[in-house]
Amino acid sequence: MSTPRTRSPFPDGGRPWEDLSAEMAKRSARDADIVGGRAPAYYFFAEDETYEIGKKAFNAYFSQNALGNRVFPGLQSMEMDVLDYGLGLFSAPEGAHGVFSSGGSESIFLAMKSARDAHRAKAKVGRETPLNLVVPITVHPAFDKAALAMDIEMRRAPLRPDRRVDVDAMRALIDANTMALVGSAPCFPHGVIDPIEELSRLAIEKGTWLHVDACVGGWMAPFFTRIGRATPHFDFRFPGVRSISADLHKFGFCPKPASTVFFRNKEDAERSAFRADSWPSGAFMTETLVGTRPGGAVAGAWAVLNHMGTRGFESLATNLARMVDAYVAGIKAIPGLEMWAVPDLTIINYGSQELNMQAVAKQMMQKGFLPSLTRAPAGLHAMLAMQHEPVRELYLQSLRESVEAVRAGTATGTVKSVYGGG
Ligand SMILES: *Cc1c(COP(=O)(O)O)cnc(C)c1O
C-alpha cells in the first residue's frame, strides 16, 4: 500500500483481441516462470497431455454454471462421478457424502461449520457457549479464517521432533467446548502427515470430531502408499475421522478452482449445506458456500481424473517420488544443509544449524528461483511437481553456490517469501 495508485478510469471499450492480448502479455512479462519450474508453489504440472485435457475440458464448459444442476445434468453426473472417485479413494463407508467446492479454504469452512453444528446439537449448547478448535501449529490459515468467521477459538499444539503433531499436547488442550480436532495429510510447512491413527483414537475417546486436512496432497498421497512408499494412511479407515478436505487443483492436477470435502455420514453433510426459503423466489439450497461455480472446474476434474486414472496416478507418483528423492539427496549433499522433515509426499523443507537461510534464499532469488520460506525452523520450502524435474540440476547447483557465498560472508540480506513464513 506504499505508492498511491491512480484509479484506472472505466474503459471506453471497443479494443480488439489482438490489442488486448498484446497488452496482457506485456503486463505479465515479469510474472514468475512457473512452467519453467522457477516458483516453489502455485502450479501443478503432471505431463503435457493431462494439462491439455484439463484445459480443453475446462474451456468446453466455460459458460456452464455448476450451481444449476437441473439445467446441466451432464455436469451434475460428472460431479457425482468425481465425488464417487474420492469416496472410494478415501475408504469412505456406505452413507458417506462428498461436496465439490471451489477450493481448500471453502472445503475447510464447510467442514468446520458442520463440526460446530454437530457439537452444538450433541452438547445441547447454543451461540452463547464459546467453542474451540484444537489443531497442530502447522495447520493452514484457512482454519484461522473459518474460526474467525464463526467466532471459534484456535488452540495450537506443538510438534514432535519428526514435525508431526504431538498428540499428547493436543489431548491437553481439549475441553468440553472443543468442537473438533484437526490433523493434516500432509501439513503445508513441513510436508509430513500428522499421526492420524492416534488422533482418531483420541477423537473417539473424547467424543470429538476429527477433520483431516488433506487439501494439498489428498488426491495423490494414496498412490504414494500404493507404490510402496512409507506415506502413512490418513483416511476414513480410521473410525474417528469424520471429515476430509482434499483439493483437486493441487496434487490432483485438475484445473483451478476445484476442491472436495467428504463427510463420514449424510447427517454431517446436511449440516454443512445452506438452505433459505424466505425470499420471493422460493426455496434455495447449496452444498457450497459460494453460489455460482465454474462448470469448467467440474468438467476439467472429471476429464483429468478419467485420463489419469489409477495407472496415471501410480506412474506419476513413481516419477514424483523419484524426483523428491533426488532433490533430498542433492540438498543433503550440500555441507551445512539438512532436511527439517522427511517428506511424506512432495513438499520439501530444509535449513541449517549454522547458515542464515534468509541470505541463502536471497541468493537463490538472484539466480531466478523464487523463495518460499518457513520461519520456525528457518528454512526453504517447495511443493515439487513435475515442472521441477528439468531444473533439478540447476536448482541444486544454484543452491550449492548460494550456500558457499553465504558461508564465505559475501552474501547477506533478507527476502520476502512468496508463500508462508518470513
Ligand atoms: C492450499 C491449502 C489449503 C487451502 O486451499 P485453497 O485452495 O488455497 O483455499 C488448506 N490446507 C492446506 C494444507 C493447503 O495446502
Side-chain angles (χ1 to χ4, degrees):
M1 303 271 175
S2 46
T3 42
R5 187 187 140 86
T6 38
R7 186 181 294 175
S8 298
F10 197 88
D12 289 336
R15 288 174 68 181
W17 171 244
E18 295 71 43
D19 183 25
L20 296 168
S21 67
E23 181 174 338
M24 289 193 285
K26 196 161 146 246
R27 285 181 183 231
S28 298
R30 292 188 311 117
D31 285 8
D33 178 13
I34 51 170
V35 175
R38 297 308 189 109
Y42 298 113
Y43 175 61
F44 300 85
F45 179 75
E47 40 83 41
D48 287 326
E49 205 177 348
T50 302
Y51 181 82
E52 288 304 323
I53 283 174
K55 197 167 165 179
K56 279 187 202 149
F58 191 101
N59 286 336
Y61 284 79
F62 177 74
S63 306
Q64 272 79 337
N65 185 345
L67 170 64
N69 55 25
R70 282 195 211 122
V71 183
F72 307 112
L75 214 48
Q76 185 187 28
S77 75
M78 290 183 238
E79 179 169 312
M80 280 163 31
D81 274 0
V82 169
L83 295 168
D84 282 346
Y85 305 156
L87 290 167
L89 191 64
F90 301 135
S91 325
E94 278 304 307
H97 184 81
V99 175
F100 194 116
S101 81
S102 297
S105 302
E106 188 185 14
S107 292
I108 287 165
F109 189 95
L110 294 171
M112 293 302 100
K113 153 93 166 56
S114 185
R116 184 198 65 178
D117 291 354
H119 178 90
R120 282 180 176 169
K122 185 168 172 235
K124 301 194 169 50
V125 295
R127 292 154 77 166
E128 67 292 344
T129 305
L131 302 180
N132 66 74
L133 199 53
V134 173
V135 305
I137 182 82
T138 44
V139 285
H140 192 277
F143 288 92
D144 297 75
K145 201 183 262 186
L148 191 67
M150 290 188 272
D151 264 336
I152 297 158
E153 179 199 349
M154 291 282 279
R155 296 186 176 176
R156 295 166 221 274
L159 311 179
R160 307 189 311 209
D162 63 359
R163 306 206 190 276
R164 303 174 204 278
V165 75
D166 179 337
V167 178
D168 289 331
M170 294 238 333
R171 171 191 295 277
L173 294 171
I174 299 171
D175 65 19
N177 294 328
T178 299
M179 54 163 254
L181 314 178
V182 180
S184 303
C187 69
F188 182 89
H190 310 307
V192 292
I193 297 181
D194 286 317
I196 304 300
E197 188 168 12
E198 288 172 59
L199 290 175
S200 163
R201 279 199 292 272
L202 179 61
I204 287 172
E205 179 197 320
K206 297 284 187 184
T208 315
W209 186 297
L210 172 60
H211 177 79
V212 174
D213 180 23
C215 274
V216 62
W219 283 85
M220 177 50 78
F223 297 100
F224 265 57
T225 313
R226 283 187 207 178
I227 62 163
R229 301 284 286 189
T231 308
H233 292 301
F234 61 86
D235 65 18
F236 289 114
R237 78 190 63 214
F238 302 122
V241 175
R242 194 116 161 225
S243 56
I244 296 176
S245 49
D247 291 350
L248 290 157
H249 64 204
K250 289 181 184 158
F251 285 95
F253 297 91
C254 298
K256 294 179 258 294
S259 175
T260 50
V261 56
F262 299 94
F263 296 93
R264 178 176 287 277
N265 61 65
K266 185 81 179 113
E267 200 187 359
D268 289 340
E270 286 287 329
R271 288 192 171 102
S272 79
F274 177 83
R275 289 171 198 283
D277 199 4
S278 35
W279 70 334
S281 289
F284 181 93
M285 195 285 281
T286 62
E287 291 191 310
T288 51
L289 187 58
V290 303
T292 292
R293 289 189 290 132
V298 173
W302 185 87
V304 164
L305 295 181
N306 275 282
H307 173 67
M308 293 266 288
T310 300
R311 270 181 292 146
F313 272 101
E314 284 183 5
S315 96
L316 181 54
T318 306
N319 293 337
L320 285 167
R322 196 177 293 143
M323 174 179 62
V324 171
D325 289 348
Y327 265 93
V328 169
I331 290 162
K332 282 179 164 171
I334 299 173
L337 294 185
E338 63 185 281
M339 298 303 297
W340 287 147
V342 181
D344 276 330
L345 208 65
T346 55
I347 293 177
I348 55 167
N349 178 215
Y350 59 91
S352 175
Q353 307 281 0
E354 47 190 293
L355 299 160
N356 176 350
M357 291 309 288
Q358 280 272 337
V360 174
K362 184 161 187 192
Q363 288 297 301
M364 286 299 278
M365 197 163 89
Q366 284 166 357
K367 293 175 192 294
F369 289 99
L370 292 182
S372 170
L373 302 168
T374 50
R375 198 164 49 187
L380 270 87
H381 169 272
M383 299 211 238
L384 299 173
M386 289 319 294
Q387 76 273 14
H388 293 113
E389 177 57 18
V391 289
R392 177 166 51 83
E393 298 286 348
L394 181 62
Y395 180 95
L396 292 169
Q397 182 55 33
S398 304
L399 186 57
R400 185 177 283 275
E401 290 165 12
S402 300
V403 163
E404 280 163 11
V406 172
R407 194 189 293 285
T410 55
T412 52
T414 58
V415 289
K416 258 192 150 32
S417 178
V418 298
Y419 203 133

